[in-house]
Amino acid sequence: MKLALLLFLVLVSNFLPSSLAAPSSSGDGYAITGRVKVEGMTSKGFGASSKLLNAKIILNGGQNVTFVRADGYFTFHNVPAGTHLIEVAALGYFFSPVRVDISARFPGKIQAALTENRKALHELILEPLREEQYYELREPFSIMSFLKSPMGLMMGFMLLVIFVMPKLVENMDPEEIRRAQEEMRTNFLPRSS
Amino acid sequence: MSSSHLRPRTAMAIRARLGFVIVLSLFFSATLSTALYEDQVGLADWHHKYIGKVKHAVFHTQKTGRKRVVVSTEENVVASLDLRTGFIFWRNVLGKNDHIDQVDIALGKYVVTLSSGGSILRAWNLPDGQMIWESTLPVSTPSKSSLYVLANMNVGKDNLILVFGGSSIHALSSMDGQIVWRKELSIDSLEIQQIFQPHDSDIINVVGFVGSSEFVVYQISYRTGEVMQQSKASFESGFCGEASLVFDNLVVALDASKSSLVSISFKNEVINFHQINLSDLVPDFSGKVTLLPLKFNGMLAIEIASSILLLRVKGANELEFVEKISHPFAVSDALPLSKVQQAFAILQHDESKIHFKVKSDNDLRNEILKETIQMDSQRGNIEKVFINNYIRTDRTHGFRFLVVMEDHSLLLIQQGEIVWSREDGLASIVDSTTSELPVEKEGVSVAEVEHNLFEWLKGHLLKLKGTLMLASPDEVAAIQAIRLKSSEKNKMTRDHNGFRKLIIVLTRAGKVLALHTGDGRVVWSVLLPALRRSETCGNPFALRVYQWQVPHHHAMHENPSVLVVGRCGHGFDAPGIFSIVDSYTGKVQNSFILEHSVSHIMPLPLTDSTEQRLHLIIDAKLQAHLYPKNSDSLKHFFNEMPNIYWYSVEVEKNKIKGYSLESKAELDTAEEYVFQAKELWSIIFPSESEKIAVTATRKMNEIVHTQAKVVADQDVMYKYISKNILFVATVSPKAAGEIGSATPEEALLYAYLIDTVSGRILHRVCHQGAQGPVHAVVSENWVVYHYFNLRAHRYEMSVIEIYDQSRADNKDVWKLVLGKHNLTAPVSLYSRPDVMVKSQSYFFTHSVKSMAVTATAKGITSKQLLVGTIGDQVLALDKRFLDPRRSVNPTQSEKEEGIIPLTDSLPIVPQSYITHSLQVEDLRSMVTIPAKLESTTLVFSYGVDLFFTRIAPSRTYDSLTEDFSYALLLITIVVLVAAIFVTWALSEKKELKEKWR
C-alpha cells in the first residue's frame, strides 16, 4: 500500500510567524508548537481526512492532552524546560513518539528526535512510520490456496490415487505384474499357513 | 495468601513434558497474531460508547439541520448528541486532569469549552467535533472560573467570549481564540460573581465581592476592557460569598451568618443594602441556606434543609414567598422564550413518579406546562435537568427536558414520554466480576434449531461464496446478518464453550448492572439502596464486587450471588457497607452497614456448606472479620486459619507489612467472628532513595497447568510457582513525577520480588536511568513490567522469570517413576529458597495505560499480554516475545522450541490489536475471564467505553472456527462419493472389456 501520507511535525522553526517556543506570559514554562500535515492535500482539505480527525497529541504519557486543529497545528503551553515525550494517537497510523528537549540554558531552544529510529528532526519533517491495517485481508480465491487447504490436499491425493495409480499399473509390463503378484503370494502364503 | 510452596506432582510433570512437545509442534507453524477479517467484526465482540455523567448541556435546535445537544461530563468528555435518538454525533475525551468547567455554543457553529480550572479554552466545530482553536489563559490563582458568551451584538461581527475567575477577565475572539483584551481588576481577593450585559449597550457589568464584606460593581467597555465606572460599598455583617443576580441592577446575596438575605441595588455608583430576615419570609425557618444558581429575572430560589423556596423579588426590599418544593427535586436554568418572557422548570420526585412543571415569569403562580411521568425506580432521584423549548404547530411552546438521574443515566423527556435514555453510569465502572448463566432447561426442542433445512443450506452456500470471494456486496451484508442472527450468543443460558456469561459491573453511582457477554445488553440493573445517600450514611461510595455464592455442588437450586462492598465516606476508618445481590435477577438479598471499617478485603479459597465464599475483612484497627457469620463457615475457617497470610502496602509510609492471624485462645461469644492480626514482617524502603510506585500479584484464581518447562535440549526447568509472590517497583523520589521532571542520573527504578508469607526478598534488580509510571503484571512464574527509560528516552518492558533450582535435579524421569526423587526433602520457611532468575528487557513504543494477561480454563494455552496503549487500543502481545531465553541467534533446537530471535524492541503488529479499528476511550482496565473452551479467553475492557471480545492466544485449536466452511466439507464428500461411483463404473467397464478380449 502506498503511503500517501506524510506528516510534518514542525517544532520551533523560524518560518512560523508566532515564535514557537516563546516563554508564555505567565512565565512558568515554554510552549511547544508542532504541526501535522498531509502531503498531497492542501491545508484546507485536511479536515476532510476523517481518519486524522480525532488525532490526539499526548505529552509525557498523559500529563497533557491536546488535539490537532483543522490546519494541523497543535500547541502545548506551560511546558517546563527538560526532556519531554510527545506521542500522537491517531487511529490508522503508526507514529513514532518524539523526544523533545527544551533547553534551560538557552530559553526557547528546542530539539526534537524520533525515538523509534533516533532520527533527529532537524527540519522537523516526520513521516508516519506506517499506515496500520487492523484487519487481515482476505486473499482472493485462487486454485493454489484451495489446493493447499486440507480439503484440497485430500481431494488431490484421492484424484491422484484414482487416476494416476491405474495408469502406473497399466504402464507396467504384464509379465512384471504377474511376477510381483506371485512374489507377494509366496511371501504371504507361508504366514497364512 | 495461603499455604507455602506446592508439591510437585510427578505425573503432571511427565504429562506436561509430553503435552508441551505436542502443543509446541502443533502451533509452531501458526502465526503469532490472531487477526480478524473485516467481515468478522461484531461476531464475537461488541463495543459500547458512553459519555459519563452530564454536568452541563447546551441545546442547539435551529429550524434547519440536525437538532442536537452538546454536553460536558464528569469523565471530561465533550460530546454532541442527536436530540432525536441520543446517539453520539461526536465526542472528544480530554486529558485526565483537564476537567471541564463549562460549555457553551458561540457564533452558532462552535462549541466552546472551558477546562483545567479556567485556564484552557477550546472551540470545537459543531458538526464534526474538529478542534478549531485552543487558547491558554494565564490563571494566577486557582479559582472558580466561568464562561460568558456575549449575545450577538451585530450580526456578522466577531463575538467576544468572556472568561472570568478571581479578579481577572479575559475577552477572546470567538473566531480564532485570540485574546482581545485582558483586565486584571487591581484589587486583591476580589471574587467576581457575575458578568452581565444590559440590553443593547457596549457596557459589561461586573459584580463581585472583595474579602467578605465589600461589594463592588464595575462597568467595563465591551470593546477595550477599559473600566468606565467603578463603585463599591461595604456591608458590616459580611457576605458568605453567594449571590444571585435578580435584575440588571439588583443582586441578592446571603450574609455571613447564612440566616438572612441581602438585596443589593446599584445604580449610578450608588449601592444600597437591604437586609431581609428569612424568618420573616418563612415562618418555620431553621438550618443552613444556600442560594440556587437560577438565572431568572425577578426570581430567587433558596434551599433550606431539604426543600427549596421560590421567592419573587418585587423591589429592592420586597420579597414575596411563592412556593415551597420538597426534596427530591431539580430546577433548571432559565430559558428565554421571547424577548420579554422567560421560563424555567421544576421537577419533583414523588416515589416512582416525576412531576414536571414549567413556569414563566409572567405568571409564577401557575404553570405553562404540567406533566407527570413514570420513572424506573432503579434510576434513583433526579440530579439535574436542562430545558429546551420548541414551537408547536399551534404556535404554543412545547418543552423538552434533558434529565440526569442519580445513577448517571441521561434521559430526554418530551410530551410526558421518555424519548430516549442512555445508561451513562457505565462510563464509570469501579469493579467487575462474572457470573455463569443458568443451565439450559430440558425440553427445548432441537427441531427449532434445524427448522428449515433449505434455509440452512442457503446460508452455508452464501458463506461458501463469501470464502471464495464470489459474493456481491449485498450478499456480504446478508452473510453478516445471518451470522449475527444465527449465532446463539445472545441466549440466556449457559453454553457448552462457556462464552455466554454475565458480566456484573459496579459503577461509581452505586449501581450494579449485569451485562450479557453476547451483545453487552443490560440484563438487569439495581441501584443499591445501601450505596445511596441517606441519613445514616452521608457520602457512600462503591469499592469492589466479589462472587459471593457460586452454587455448583450443593445448593444447586439457588441462584448465584455477588457481594458488593462499599464504604460510608472517604476516610479509611469509615464504616463499610455490604450488599448481596442475586446474579440472575438483581434482587438485593441482604444489605447492611458494618460496624467496622474496610481496609482490605480477602476472598478466601474456602466455602461453607451452602457454597458461600468466605471473606475476611481487615479493618483499620487490624482486626479481621469473618463473613458470612455462621458457625459452619467458622468451622471451615478454623481448619485453614494457620495458613492465612496477607500483606498491606502503605505507599505514604513506604512500608510493606506481612500479617497472619493470632490464634484464638478463648472464644468470646460476642466477638466470635473477629480475629486479631499478628504482624509477621515488614519491609521499609528508605524514603530518601526509594518510593513505592506499583505493586502487583498473581490473580488468585489463576490456574497453572504445568510446573515444568521443557527446554530445547530435553532439559526440564521447574517454575517457581507461588501464589505469594509480590512484585514491587520503587522509583527514586526525584523521578516519581512525570516524564521530563528528572534527569537520567537521578532516576533509579528497583524491582523486587517478595514472598509475602516470609517477607523474604527473592530478587531485586535495579534499572538505572529509569522512571515510572510503572505498570506490571504477574502470572505463573513471571513478571512483566513497563516503565520509561530516560537514557534511551523510550519506554521499556522487562520480563523476570523465576525458576526453582532446588528441584533442578528431579529431572530424571526414572527417578520420578520409581519414587526415588527427593520430594520428601524438608521445605522450611527459614531456608533460603534456591531460585534462579532470568530477565530481559525490550523497548516498547507506546505509553501504557493498563496491562493484563490472558487466562484460560486449564492454563494449557500459551499466554498473551494485553497492553492498553495510550491510543486507547488493546494490543495482544504474545508472551513468546517476552521470553528471557531469546537470543540474537537461537540454535536450531531453540528455534524448534519456538524461541524468537532477539530484537531490541517489541513488535507492534496492527492485526494483533484486539480492539481492531475501535478505541476504548479513556481505557482504565482489562479483565480476562477464562471460557470453558481451553483455547479461549474472554476479554472485557472498560473505560468511558466498554469493549468485549474473545481471543484465542494459540488460535482455536480445540474447535472449528466460525468461518469453517461446512459446505466445502459437504461438497468434498459428495465429490469423493461421486468419484468412487464413477471409478467403480469405469473399472466395471474395463473389466468387462478385459473379459471380452
Side-chain angles (χ1 to χ4, degrees):
Chain A
M1 182 163 264
K2 192 182 148 198
L3 265 183
L5 179 113
L6 264 180
L7 178 107
F8 295 89
L9 185 80
V10 186
L11 292 154
V12 198
S13 74
N14 298 323
F15 313 121
L16 292 161
S18 58
S19 69
L20 290 162
S24 54
S25 43
S26 61
D28 55 349
Y30 304 93
I32 304 174
T33 297
R35 190 177 182 194
V36 181
K37 191 182 161 192
V38 182
E39 203 180 52
M41 279 189 191
T42 58
S43 58
K44 263 186 191 173
F46 178 73
S49 161
S50 60
K51 257 185 149 181
L52 271 177
L53 193 70
N54 288 331
K56 265 188 205 175
I57 320 289
I58 300 137
L59 181 72
N60 292 341
Q63 188 187 341
N64 283 344
V65 177
T66 190
F67 297 82
V68 172
R69 264 179 270 163
D71 56 4
Y73 281 94
F74 65 87
T75 309
F76 286 108
H77 295 277
N78 299 340
V79 184
T83 308
H84 302 278
L85 189 77
I86 288 178
E87 284 169 276
V88 183
L91 216 54
Y93 297 101
F94 179 80
F95 288 89
S96 166
V98 186
R99 172 200 173 125
V100 178
D101 292 277
I102 303 178
S103 169
R105 215 173 295 161
F106 309 102
K109 189 168 162 38
I110 291 185
Q111 286 179 322
L114 297 183
T115 62
E116 279 294 280
N117 48 20
R118 300 183 190 192
K119 201 171 125 192
L121 294 176
H122 191 63
E123 278 285 300
L124 306 161
I125 298 167
L126 181 79
E127 288 179 43
L129 296 186
R130 57 170 189 261
E131 214 165 324
E132 289 195 321
Q133 187 65 49
Y134 298 116
Y135 301 108
E136 203 89 342
L137 287 175
R138 277 214 189 273
E139 279 168 29
F141 177 70
S142 71
I143 293 294
M144 271 320 282
S145 72
F146 175 73
L147 288 182
K148 273 184 193 163
S149 73
M151 226 75 80
L153 288 175
M154 198 164 93
M155 282 175 83
F157 181 73
M158 291 305 267
L159 290 174
L160 199 83
V161 169
I162 292 163
F163 293 108
V164 182
M165 285 297 272
K167 286 275 174 343
L168 284 176
V169 176
E170 241 168 55
N171 287 349
M172 277 165 89
D173 192 33
E175 292 288 313
E176 244 173 74
I177 294 168
R178 204 168 299 137
R179 210 179 299 142
Q181 276 172 347
E182 240 152 62
E183 245 173 57
M184 274 165 122
R185 213 166 292 146
T186 49
N187 278 351
F188 280 112
L189 274 174
R191 277 193 201 168
S192 59
S193 64
Chain B
M1 183 183 324
S2 61
S3 80
S4 52
H5 318 294
L6 292 163
R7 292 275 159 88
R9 279 164 284 175
T10 50
M12 205 74 156
I14 300 164
R15 210 175 68 196
R17 204 160 151 166
L18 249 165
F20 208 79
V21 174
I22 294 167
V23 168
L24 269 178
S25 54
L26 259 172
F27 304 116
F28 183 64
S29 56
T31 49
L32 291 166
S33 63
T34 49
L36 202 68
Y37 294 105
E38 196 156 4
D39 50 47
Q40 290 175 326
V41 172
L43 277 183
D45 58 316
W46 47 263
H47 178 238
H48 290 184
K49 289 177 170 182
Y50 295 99
I51 52 174
K53 187 187 181 185
V54 170
K55 283 202 286 195
H56 308 280
V58 185
F59 291 90
H60 183 81
T61 50
Q62 265 155 8
K63 284 191 188 71
T64 53
R66 290 157 159 181
K67 291 187 171 30
R68 59 191 110 212
V69 57
V70 177
V71 294
S72 72
T73 72
E74 289 187 354
E75 308 295 324
N76 302 348
V77 178
V78 51
S80 166
L81 306 179
D82 189 339
L83 203 52
R84 288 180 207 283
T85 58
F87 289 144
I88 300 169
F89 282 136
W90 56 262
R91 75 189 157 149
N92 286 307
V93 184
L94 309 187
K96 63 178 188 291
N97 301 321
D98 207 1
H99 303 295
I100 301 170
D101 301 311
Q102 220 172 330
V103 63
D104 211 335
I105 293 177
L107 294 173
K109 60 178 181 179
Y110 295 153
V111 175
V112 182
T113 57
L114 183 71
S115 61
S116 281
S119 64
I120 299 175
L121 194 67
R122 293 192 181 99
W124 315 89
N125 196 15
L126 187 59
D128 60 5
Q130 167 88 53
M131 193 171 84
I132 303 295
W133 51 259
E134 179 185 42
S135 227
T136 306
L137 308 172
V139 175
S140 44
T141 49
S143 55
K144 200 177 152 278
S145 289
S146 304
L147 184 71
Y148 186 78
V149 179
L150 288 179
N152 230 352
M153 290 287 292
N154 295 308
V155 181
K157 265 205 170 168
D158 189 6
N159 278 8
L160 291 185
I161 298 167
L162 298 183
V163 177
F164 62 96
S167 62
S168 59
I169 306 170
H170 291 89
L172 293 97
S173 154
S174 50
M175 291 301 288
D176 54 7
Q178 294 292 322
I179 296 178
V180 177
W181 53 263
R182 170 166 188 262
K183 190 79 205 165
E184 190 77 33
L185 297 169
S186 53
I187 304 172
D188 286 339
S189 71
L190 170 72
E191 275 296 322
I192 297 174
Q193 286 291 322
Q194 297 267 339
I195 285 187
F196 61 97
Q197 190 182 21
H199 288 296
D200 305 324
S201 73
D202 276 4
I203 304 290
I204 312 158
N205 285 341
V206 177
V207 297
F209 295 115
V210 180
S212 62
S213 64
E214 236 173 82
F215 177 78
V216 281
V217 182
Y218 289 95
Q219 292 197 326
I220 290 176
S221 158
Y222 167 75
R223 311 219 173 273
T224 59
E226 224 178 302
V227 176
M228 314 286 275
Q229 212 176 62
Q230 166 177 4
S231 51
K232 62 177 162 185
S234 64
F235 180 67
E236 63 275 13
S237 46
F239 301 106
C240 77
E242 285 180 52
S244 174
L245 185 76
V246 179
F247 290 118
D248 278 357
N249 55 4
L250 187 81
V251 169
V252 177
L254 269 177
D255 76 344
S257 63
K258 289 199 176 186
S259 64
S260 57
L261 294 170
V262 186
S263 77
I264 310 159
S265 61
F266 47 94
K267 208 168 195 182
N268 302 330
E269 300 191 36
V270 183
I271 300 175
N272 287 316
F273 297 107
H274 287 278
Q275 195 166 358
I276 303 147
N277 268 330
L278 273 170
S279 44
D280 298 344
L281 280 168
V282 197
D284 51 344
F285 160 71
S286 65
K288 282 270 168 66
V289 179
T290 43
L291 274 176
L292 290 182
L294 177 77
K295 293 169 196 152
F296 200 73
N297 254 348
M299 187 75 181
L300 195 67
I302 54 173
E303 191 176 346
I304 302 172
S306 63
S307 55
I308 48 168
L309 301 179
L310 293 180
L311 302 171
R312 180 180 198 144
V313 184
K314 285 186 164 171
N317 53 2
E318 205 181 337
L319 288 174
E320 188 193 25
F321 172 75
V322 178
E323 196 171 347
K324 184 176 176 174
I325 304 153
S326 57
H327 206 73
F329 56 82
V331 181
S332 77
D333 280 349
L335 173 82
L337 292 181
S338 64
K339 273 205 169 148
V340 291
Q341 202 185 6
Q342 279 186 306
F344 74 103
I346 303 165
L347 270 70
Q348 201 184 348
H349 224 117
D350 176 21
E351 293 186 357
S352 65
K353 287 195 185 91
I354 297 180
H355 303 290
F356 290 78
K357 284 181 204 164
V358 180
K359 287 172 185 271
S360 93
D361 56 355
N362 288 352
D363 183 9
L364 281 172
R365 295 263 164 219
N366 296 311
E367 290 88 25
I368 316 180
L369 180 111
K370 209 171 166 180
E371 278 169 4
T372 302
I373 66 155
Q374 203 73 26
M375 185 61 81
D376 179 6
S377 62
Q378 299 307 342
R379 294 195 187 278
N381 292 335
I382 308 171
E383 296 238 320
K384 274 198 180 92
V385 61
F386 303 94
I387 159 175
N388 176 239
N389 71 313
Y390 59 92
I391 308 286
R392 294 210 192 103
T393 42
D394 58 350
R395 292 235 156 259
T396 56
H397 288 286
F399 294 92
R400 302 184 182 97
F401 307 92
L402 190 70
V403 180
V404 183
M405 302 299 288
E406 195 179 347
D407 68 340
H408 300 185
S409 59
L410 186 70
L411 300 103
L412 188 86
I413 292 154
Q414 194 174 331
Q415 291 175 340
E417 268 177 62
I418 299 172
V419 182
W420 50 260
S421 65
R422 295 181 55 87
E423 199 70 65
D424 273 305
L426 286 170
S428 53
I429 292 177
V430 177
D431 195 16
S432 71
T433 186
T434 52
S435 168
E436 292 288 343
L437 283 159
V439 186
E440 192 156 7
K441 298 264 187 334
E442 273 175 42
V444 175
S445 69
V446 190
E448 203 180 22
V449 184
E450 293 156 5
H451 56 109
N452 197 329
L453 190 71
F454 178 67
E455 286 279 310
W456 183 82
L457 265 178
K458 209 168 80 180
H460 278 291
L461 214 73
L462 266 175
K463 267 193 197 172
L464 178 71
K465 267 186 169 178
T467 37
L468 300 184
M469 299 287 284
L470 299 169
S472 65
D474 280 351
E475 280 171 328
V476 170
I479 294 167
Q480 200 83 312
I482 287 172
R483 278 179 173 169
L484 285 177
K485 206 174 68 186
S486 66
S487 63
E488 295 188 336
K489 64 179 193 173
N490 295 334
K491 273 170 127 181
M492 278 302 294
T493 49
R494 218 173 280 189
D495 65 333
H496 185 66
N497 290 334
F499 294 162
R500 290 201 298 262
K501 283 181 201 301
L502 287 179
I503 303 173
I504 296 173
V505 297
L506 176 65
T507 70
R508 212 176 49 214
K511 197 173 191 180
V512 179
L513 299 104
L515 309 174
H516 195 285
T517 55
D519 53 0
R521 70 177 185 276
V522 176
V523 177
W524 53 259
S525 66
V526 58
L527 187 67
L528 291 180
L531 288 173
R532 290 176 70 178
R533 201 163 295 207
S534 63
E535 273 166 33
T536 46
C537 185
N539 202 4
F541 74 101
L543 279 178
R544 303 293 299 268
V545 56
Y546 295 98
Q547 286 179 347
W548 177 251
Q549 193 179 18
V550 186
H552 54 281
H553 289 307
H554 319 283
M556 265 307 270
H557 54 282
E558 275 181 63
N559 287 355
S561 52
V562 291
L563 166 71
V564 179
V565 185
R567 195 185 279 157
C568 247
H570 289 266
F572 275 104
D573 46 358
I577 301 168
F578 254 45
S579 246
I580 293 159
V581 183
D582 188 312
S583 302
Y584 291 168
T585 61
K587 229 178 82 194
V588 180
Q589 291 174 342
N590 200 355
S591 183
F592 48 92
I593 292 180
L594 306 179
E595 288 151 11
H596 54 85
S597 58
V598 176
S599 69
H600 193 79
I601 309 151
M602 263 198 292
L604 302 178
L606 303 167
T607 53
D608 69 1
S609 55
T610 57
E611 302 267 341
Q612 292 187 84
R613 187 159 295 276
L614 267 57
H615 285 71
L616 206 58
I617 313 282
I618 319 293
D619 67 10
K621 285 182 246 156
L622 279 178
Q623 281 181 325
H625 304 260
L626 179 71
Y627 290 90
K629 286 188 175 179
N630 58 45
S631 56
D632 189 44
S633 70
L634 207 60
K635 195 181 80 201
H636 285 91
F637 181 71
F638 275 131
N639 293 337
E640 284 295 323
M641 212 169 110
N643 290 334
I644 291 172
Y645 297 92
W646 78 94
Y647 66 93
S648 68
V649 182
E650 294 166 32
V651 176
E652 311 86 53
K653 290 184 190 158
N654 246 350
K655 231 186 246 182
I656 298 177
K657 283 182 183 168
Y659 301 97
S660 71
L661 288 171
E662 199 97 59
S663 56
K664 217 163 203 181
E666 51 202 44
L667 278 177
D668 185 359
T669 46
E671 302 263 288
E672 206 177 348
Y673 302 99
V674 183
F675 302 88
Q676 209 65 42
K678 179 169 72 178
E679 191 182 318
L680 287 179
W681 53 267
S682 69
I683 297 171
I684 304 164
F685 297 100
S687 57
E688 65 273 10
S689 60
E690 291 179 47
K691 192 174 178 298
I692 297 174
V694 75
T695 59
T697 54
R698 266 179 66 188
K699 256 201 219 167
M700 272 302 294
N701 54 0
E702 189 186 60
I703 290 156
V704 180
H705 178 254
T706 165
Q707 301 218 349
K709 186 172 180 176
V710 184
V711 292
D713 44 357
Q714 294 300 306
D715 212 350
V716 180
M717 287 163 84
Y718 286 96
K719 298 172 184 172
Y720 182 83
I721 290 168
S722 159
K723 292 234 171 190
N724 307 314
I725 280 191
L726 171 71
F727 170 81
V728 181
T730 65
V731 290
S732 51
K734 275 191 177 171
E738 304 272 2
I739 296 161
S741 59
T743 60
E745 290 73 37
E746 58 196 21
L748 282 173
L749 187 142
Y750 294 96
Y752 293 86
L753 289 176
I754 296 168
D755 186 310
T756 55
V757 173
S758 62
R760 193 186 295 280
I761 295 173
L762 296 170
H763 182 63
R764 177 181 189 260
V765 65
C766 172
H767 297 274
Q768 285 183 349
Q771 71 160 148
V774 186
H775 296 272
V777 62
V778 184
S779 173
E780 295 198 353
N781 65 326
W782 50 264
V783 186
V784 172
Y785 51 104
H786 177 270
Y787 54 91
F788 192 68
N789 180 338
L790 279 164
R791 287 187 205 280
H793 217 75
R794 294 175 79 172
Y795 285 100
E796 254 180 32
M797 270 204 209
S798 279
V799 58
I800 299 177
E801 287 190 1
I802 178 162
Y803 292 97
D804 195 349
Q805 278 298 93
S806 60
R807 286 158 57 195
D809 48 343
N810 285 357
K811 276 179 269 193
D812 198 331
V813 178
W814 285 114
K815 268 191 185 172
L816 288 176
V817 172
L818 298 171
K820 282 192 178 173
H821 50 87
N822 64 346
L823 284 184
T824 48
V827 178
S828 167
L829 185 66
Y830 301 103
S831 65
R832 194 186 152 72
D834 190 7
V835 296
M836 183 184 63
V837 168
K838 289 182 169 215
S839 64
Q840 213 167 55
S841 298
Y842 322 87
F843 288 125
F844 186 73
T845 308
H846 299 298
S847 296
V848 163
K849 285 188 166 180
S850 167
M851 282 214 291
V853 64
T854 57
T856 52
K858 294 193 175 60
I860 299 168
T861 310
S862 61
K863 301 256 177 194
Q864 274 186 338
L865 273 177
L866 300 179
V867 183
T869 64
I870 193 78
D872 295 317
Q873 291 168 288
V874 181
L875 181 75
L877 198 60
D878 221 280
K879 172 66 177 62
R880 281 160 62 193
F881 287 112
L882 291 134
D883 184 345
R885 292 175 57 232
R886 280 176 74 182
S887 59
V888 182
N889 287 312
T891 60
Q892 191 56 40
S893 57
E894 278 177 334
K895 268 185 198 159
E896 273 167 24
E897 195 194 321
I899 285 184
I900 303 158
L902 183 64
T903 47
D904 64 342
S905 58
L906 295 169
I908 292 174
V909 184
Q911 285 92 340
S912 56
Y913 281 110
I914 61 166
T915 48
H916 45 95
S917 63
L918 300 168
Q919 279 173 304
V920 188
E921 286 285 1
D922 197 22
L923 180 68
R924 283 196 304 270
S925 185
M926 279 108 51
V927 182
T928 55
I929 309 140
K932 230 185 257 171
L933 196 66
E934 168 55 28
S935 65
T936 312
T937 306
L938 311 178
V939 182
F940 175 57
S941 44
Y942 59 86
V944 166
D945 290 355
L946 308 183
F947 180 79
F948 174 89
T949 191
R950 55 170 191 260
I951 55 170
S954 304
R955 302 213 156 182
T956 45
Y957 55 84
D958 48 5
S959 75
L960 293 171
T961 52
E962 259 330 287
D963 57 344
F964 180 81
S965 179
Y966 290 94
L968 194 59
L969 182 71
L970 270 182
I971 289 171
T972 315
I973 290 167
V974 168
V975 167
L976 285 177
V977 168
I980 287 166
F981 278 106
V982 168
T983 43
W984 178 69
L986 283 175
S987 71
E988 284 281 283
K989 230 180 182 179
K990 205 174 172 194
E991 219 166 286
L992 199 66
K993 251 187 204 165
E994 294 257 306
K995 279 187 183 159
W996 275 108
R997 203 150 21 150

